[in-house]
Amino acid sequence: MSIFTLSLLLCADLLDFVIGYLTVTIEPLPPVVMGDTVTLKCNFRTDGNLREIVWFRVTEGGTSKQKIFTYDAMYNTNFSHMEDFRRREDLVYQSTVRLPEVQMEDDGPYECHVGIYDRASREKVVLASGSITLNVMSPPKSISVEAANQPARFSRYEAQNFTLVCIVTGGKPAPVVYFKRDGELIEVHPYTSTDKAENRGLLAAIDNQPLISRELDDTKVQKSLSFLGPYSEPVRLDKDRPQRSYTSEAPSKEEPSPTTEVIPETVISREFPRWVLSSSPLYYFNHTHSELHDGTMEVQAMLTWHLNPQLDNEALFTCEVKHPALSMPMKAEVTLSAPKGPKLSVAPSRAKVGDTVHIKVEGFQMGPKANKVFPEPLFIWTRVGGPLLDGSEERFGKVLVLERVPAELNGSMYRCTVQNPLGSTNTHTRLIVFENPRIKKETIQMKFGNSAGDMLGPSLMLLLLSLTLELT
């Protein structure tokens, strides 16, 4: 060992004896769940005299520090045995900070700063610090399943892409999302927007027959056109169904007019083309992440496939979420269901001339597996045999409003077509308009007043003329 090295070691020992040494470490912590109570532990070893301990929460990306705890040894007698700074001791201390029910704003770095007195002078303080990052996990707050691009019409002659969107909000880190069908995990393929349409796998050439176009399917087209009414709507498909008349008068021998035609109360239109879809379609999966204002994540997972109304109707789809802050998966379920048997209500029940009438869809006849129609159906209102009261051909919405109905609408028939990508159904109601006694009375009074004025007018003129002659 050289004389220079020996001199450095002696200087280091002398400096260590004069200044003392200080090491600070913070015990590592695994990720914690929001709402848990967390204890931060700062361990430091020194042979000097403790001056202070300060804990900081680092905010704004490290540009700001918030003091959360301070310990000043000058005013604490617990460390009075360290006053003899000439006596060299190796002591280990621990400072703890308890954070009850941590929230997302508690996530981030923390620092423990420790100061000891300089051995040479009590006016100087030697500082050392340690840091740790607290990772607060947040379980997802909500989960929902929606159908993309809905409401949409039912397509009888062309297969449609159908997309379920599972939206999960409030999780940190981002959760793992997957889909099940009827309780079985769906095998999915990754999907990117850059894929060409022919490569999306929505129709596999090996498993599926090619689509038959309208021009080639003349039998199907002619059969469908034979059931269309004057406004190109399917009026009647079920020939075995007993016919029910909505006319209030006795039937005549003449051919029924469009406003008095015999139409079934409910027509289920679920005619399918002759093309065949595979019973095991290819499912394509895509998902996106976005950060919310509170630091949590929102995940949108999309499942896309070629819809088969015959097989997918009343199929149960489940979106499940796995997250380290959850003890069991979170899930949301939807049952695909075509609309069937819409129930209409008319208010007021006895509509009079001049009233505003509301015809509303109150509900549907549900199958054994579904409790509501999904996806959301499209409601289309038309009048059989003519335009609606405002002159339009059709109206959209769950409620049809007829303002100030005239007497001419008595006996008019209204059709409500309800459809979603799984099927379409029609139902009809006839509007009965009663006379309004108030309007009738006012009309009679106006006629009587006009006729009386016409009769009294000449007599009053003669009376005034005779009075004028007498005065003169």
Side-chain angles (χ1 to χ4, degrees):
M1 184 179 295
S2 64
I3 299 176
F4 178 73
T5 305
L6 182 60
S7 300
L8 286 178
L9 292 176
L10 291 175
C11 291
D13 291 339
L14 180 61
L15 185 64
D16 181 62
F17 177 79
V18 174
I19 298 178
Y21 76 94
L22 175 64
T23 58
V24 179
T25 57
I26 300 182
E27 294 185 8
L29 276 176
V32 298
V33 180
M34 187 174 63
D36 289 350
T37 297
V38 178
T39 301
L40 304 179
K41 298 179 180 181
C42 176
N43 300 320
F44 56 95
R45 180 187 298 270
T46 182
D47 63 348
N49 297 319
L50 181 64
R51 173 62 180 89
E52 64 177 358
I53 304 171
V54 183
W55 282 89
F56 292 95
R57 175 188 290 130
V58 182
T59 58
E60 300 179 6
T63 60
S64 178
K65 295 182 180 180
Q66 177 187 0
K67 188 181 294 186
I68 60 174
F69 174 78
T70 300
Y71 173 82
D72 194 335
M74 182 180 294
Y75 303 102
N76 193 299
T77 58
N78 293 336
F79 295 90
S80 59
H81 63 278
M82 297 178 58
E83 291 299 326
D84 185 7
F85 61 89
R86 293 187 181 88
R87 186 163 55 97
R88 184 180 179 89
E89 294 183 13
D90 189 5
L91 300 176
V92 178
Y93 303 92
Q94 184 180 77
S95 174
T96 60
V97 173
R98 185 171 176 268
L99 304 176
E101 298 182 359
V102 293
Q103 301 299 316
M104 287 307 303
E105 53 266 23
D106 297 321
D107 184 272
Y110 289 80
E111 293 182 355
C112 173
H113 292 247
V114 179
I116 63 170
Y117 287 112
D118 191 336
R119 283 182 175 274
S121 173
R122 293 184 65 90
E123 301 297 329
K124 297 181 180 180
V125 177
V126 179
L127 297 175
S129 65
S131 64
I132 187 175
T133 298
L134 180 62
N135 185 7
V136 180
M137 298 188 303
S138 172
K141 297 178 182 177
S142 65
I143 179 174
S144 62
V145 179
E146 302 174 358
N149 304 319
Q150 300 297 321
R153 295 179 183 267
F154 170 67
S155 178
R156 182 174 292 108
Y157 298 103
E158 182 180 358
Q160 301 183 75
N161 292 348
F162 188 76
T163 300
L164 287 177
V165 183
C166 182
I167 303 175
V168 184
T169 59
K172 180 181 178 296
V176 177
V177 183
Y178 53 93
F179 286 90
K180 290 183 177 181
R181 172 171 176 156
D182 295 327
E184 298 293 333
L185 184 65
I186 298 177
E187 181 180 353
V188 297
H189 303 270
Y191 167 77
T192 59
S193 58
T194 57
D195 290 343
K196 295 182 180 180
E198 61 269 22
N199 295 330
R200 291 178 182 174
L202 298 179
L203 278 180
I206 298 178
D207 297 333
N208 299 289
Q209 298 179 5
L211 297 181
I212 299 176
S213 65
R214 263 188 169 183
E215 290 74 13
L216 298 178
D217 198 3
D218 294 331
T219 304
K220 183 70 66 177
V221 173
Q222 294 298 327
K223 181 179 179 181
S224 300
L225 292 178
S226 64
F227 296 115
L228 296 181
Y231 280 79
S232 300
E233 290 286 339
V235 175
R236 180 169 174 265
L237 293 176
D238 188 0
K239 294 184 178 181
D240 298 330
R241 192 187 193 92
Q243 297 181 353
R244 178 177 177 181
S245 174
Y246 284 84
T247 56
S248 56
E249 300 177 357
S252 61
K253 297 181 180 180
E254 299 178 358
E255 291 294 326
S257 64
T259 56
T260 59
E261 61 182 331
V262 178
I263 301 178
E265 181 180 4
T266 301
V267 179
I268 304 297
S269 175
R270 298 198 62 204
E271 178 186 0
F272 297 98
R274 291 186 299 185
W275 44 262
V276 179
L277 285 173
S278 170
S279 59
S280 301
L282 296 179
Y283 293 94
Y284 279 78
F285 180 82
N286 184 28
H287 67 281
T288 59
H289 296 173
S290 59
E291 186 172 353
L292 303 179
H293 62 88
D294 60 354
T296 60
M297 304 295 293
E298 179 180 272
V299 179
Q300 291 191 8
M302 288 154 282
L303 183 72
T304 304
W305 75 99
H306 243 32
L307 187 70
N308 187 334
Q310 293 172 299
L311 298 178
D312 292 334
N313 189 44
E314 295 194 353
L316 175 65
F317 285 84
T318 307
C319 173
E320 290 194 1
V321 172
K322 283 188 176 181
H323 193 273
L326 294 173
S327 58
M328 59 186 301
M330 177 186 290
K331 64 181 180 179
E333 298 178 341
V334 292
T335 300
L336 303 189
S337 176
K340 293 185 294 184
K343 304 172 185 177
L344 301 183
S345 66
V346 181
S349 56
R350 288 179 57 89
K352 299 184 289 293
V353 175
D355 288 348
T356 296
V357 177
H358 295 76
I359 306 177
K360 181 180 180 181
V361 179
E362 294 290 351
F364 299 90
Q365 298 174 3
M366 302 310 304
K369 296 182 180 179
N371 54 13
K372 70 174 183 178
V373 175
F374 184 88
E376 178 185 358
L378 182 67
F379 301 88
I380 307 173
W381 297 89
T382 55
R383 178 186 171 193
V384 179
L388 295 171
L389 183 58
D390 59 359
S392 61
E393 296 292 333
E394 60 184 17
R395 280 281 184 175
F396 297 92
K398 202 171 183 179
V399 182
L400 175 64
V401 180
L402 304 174
E403 296 183 351
R404 298 179 181 178
V405 292
E408 291 77 10
L409 289 184
N410 182 33
S412 57
M413 182 79 72
Y414 293 88
R415 176 191 295 116
C416 178
T417 301
V418 187
Q419 55 184 290
N420 67 7
L422 292 157
S424 176
T425 180
N426 296 334
T427 190
H428 302 74
T429 185
R430 186 179 297 279
L431 179 63
I432 305 300
V433 182
F434 295 89
E435 293 183 350
N436 194 329
R438 180 176 56 83
I439 296 179
K440 186 175 181 181
K441 183 177 180 181
E442 291 177 356
T443 304
I444 294 175
Q445 288 177 351
M446 290 178 63
K447 291 181 179 180
F448 178 77
N450 292 336
S451 60
D454 294 340
M455 296 174 60
L456 294 176
S459 302
L460 290 174
M461 292 296 293
L462 292 175
L463 178 60
L464 291 173
L465 181 59
S466 61
L467 289 175
T468 304
L469 292 174
E470 290 179 0
L471 292 174
T472 54

